[in-house]
Amino acid sequence: MTPVRLVMAALLLMLPLTAAAQPARQAYRVGIVNEAFAATHPTVEGLKAGLREAGLAEGRDVVFDIRFTEGDAQAARPAVAALLKAGVDLLLTSGENPTQAAKDATTSVPIVFTLVGDPLASGLVRNLDEPEANVTGVSGLQTELAAKRLEILKTLVPGLRRVWLIHYGGDLTANRTIVGARDAAPRVKVELVPRAVLNAQELTQALGQVRPGDGLLAPEISTLDIPVAILNASLKSRTPAVFSSALWVGHGGLASYGPDYYAQGLQAAGLVARILRGAKPKDVPVEGADRIELAVNLKTADLLGITVPRKVMLRAETFRR
């Protein structure tokens, strides 16, 4: 055998050994901090589905470490710290409070947020097209949608005269949301009553001031469990309320107008996949939620003695449970 053939044969024998010696790429570790009460929040499920569509299979390509804070404003920071200590490659946050906690905790691990009503007003980013440092995500467009929610509530209850907007006092987005709702209030002939609360006692006191004939606007974020408290108060006192997502309508809320939680997770998955594959968060623009929906619970409307106008029925996704 010639020297050339000997060299080629040796190389061929080495190829399988070299390939076998290469370690398989480890799965990406994605840490999730959500204000929900269970790991199976629709945003999380949407994220997983979106990553599967992007070719990143759970277990093989990506593993998830999920922390849910059950609406506790103090639980986000230790949850973020634990995930960073575990060595996650990326943080997916839902809500302003967990996102701020993540931003304060790291400048190197990429952060993709969801369920943030206004990332500019909250100071999470300075520029939507070119977000700073390691933070980007999907905006829930809450400040833009506040006026529309007020209009929907008035359409459902034409005799409405006063509407309470109860929100967490630490939510920086709330100020912009209030401005949007206040601008619309004279147009639909209602009095808007914003009320900031910082703890469960203040929340109970605020809800105790709601009177027959009033209405309620629920915030997007679940800090202090405000949407659940509003839902329970609405059903108990038969007070009409509009929520930010159809999730609450499915649980008995009268109506909602806003981004679909599952769809936000699905949309965020596209950003997550880009970053895991090498893109820098600062080069990934913040996106506005691309699916805004109107939903009405017909059973709750009957309970409250409300006849849903035909123009609302034609546009809305309806629930009967």
Side-chain angles (χ1 to χ4, degrees):
M1 185 178 291
T2 65
V4 173
R5 288 181 178 178
L6 283 172
V7 171
M8 290 181 65
L11 289 173
L12 288 171
L13 287 172
M14 290 174 61
L15 282 175
L17 294 174
T18 304
Q22 291 178 349
R25 180 181 59 78
Q26 291 186 339
Y28 298 111
R29 295 180 59 84
V30 173
I32 297 174
V33 184
N34 194 297
E35 291 185 312
F37 281 73
T40 55
H41 188 273
T43 307
V44 177
E45 297 304 296
L47 172 73
K48 291 181 177 181
L51 289 177
R52 285 195 300 270
E53 291 178 7
L56 295 171
E58 184 175 0
R60 183 193 68 192
D61 304 301
V62 59
V63 294
F64 301 99
D65 190 343
I66 304 172
R67 311 295 169 99
F68 46 98
T69 65
E70 300 183 345
D72 183 354
Q74 307 305 315
R77 294 186 183 278
V80 168
L83 290 171
L84 292 175
K85 185 176 181 180
V88 295
D89 298 301
L90 181 143
L91 286 167
L92 187 288
T93 57
S94 293
E96 181 181 305
N97 186 48
T99 306
Q100 187 63 61
K103 183 180 178 182
D104 291 343
T106 179
T107 57
S108 57
V109 176
I111 300 165
V112 176
F113 59 77
T114 59
L115 309 189
V116 169
D118 189 331
L120 290 176
S122 61
L124 293 172
V125 298
R126 296 178 183 175
N127 187 315
L128 298 178
D129 293 327
E130 297 178 354
E132 61 181 295
N134 61 324
V135 183
T136 188
V138 179
S139 168
L141 306 174
Q142 296 306 305
T143 55
E144 292 90 335
L145 300 177
K148 188 64 178 177
R149 290 196 186 107
L150 195 61
E151 292 172 6
I152 290 167
L153 189 53
K154 181 68 173 183
T155 300
L156 291 170
V157 190
L160 199 65
R161 290 291 177 264
R162 185 168 69 166
V163 176
W164 294 76
L165 199 167
I166 300 175
H167 61 93
Y168 175 56
D171 178 9
L172 299 178
T173 299
N175 293 330
R176 291 275 298 274
T177 303
I178 291 167
V179 169
R182 271 197 174 132
D183 289 344
R187 186 169 66 252
V188 298
K189 298 180 181 179
V190 299
E191 175 192 358
L192 184 74
V193 185
R195 180 59 56 87
V197 297
L198 293 171
N199 53 53
Q201 181 180 359
E202 291 182 1
L203 174 58
T204 300
Q205 290 173 346
L207 288 170
Q209 294 178 342
V210 178
R211 295 291 175 258
D214 291 350
L216 289 160
L217 290 181
E220 178 182 38
I221 66 173
S222 296
T223 306
L224 297 183
D225 214 9
I226 296 175
V228 173
I230 288 177
L231 174 62
N232 292 335
S234 170
L235 296 177
K236 182 178 180 180
S237 63
R238 301 194 177 186
T239 302
V242 171
F243 295 82
S244 64
S245 167
L247 172 72
W248 302 107
V249 179
H251 287 294
L254 172 63
S256 68
Y257 185 73
D260 176 74
Y261 286 172
Y262 182 90
Q264 277 202 61
L266 201 66
Q267 188 174 350
L271 309 184
V272 170
R274 287 176 60 187
I275 292 169
L276 291 179
R277 287 168 171 157
K280 302 295 184 184
K282 66 183 181 65
D283 298 324
V284 179
V286 174
E287 298 181 1
D290 58 13
R291 180 180 173 185
I292 308 297
E293 62 182 8
L294 170 65
V296 177
N297 190 310
L298 299 180
K299 183 177 179 180
T300 302
D302 288 341
L303 174 70
L304 273 56
I306 294 172
T307 300
V308 180
R310 179 175 172 78
K311 64 180 179 180
V312 174
M313 290 284 288
L314 290 173
R315 290 186 52 203
E317 177 183 358
T318 57
F319 295 77
R320 297 183 183 274
R321 57 183 182 274

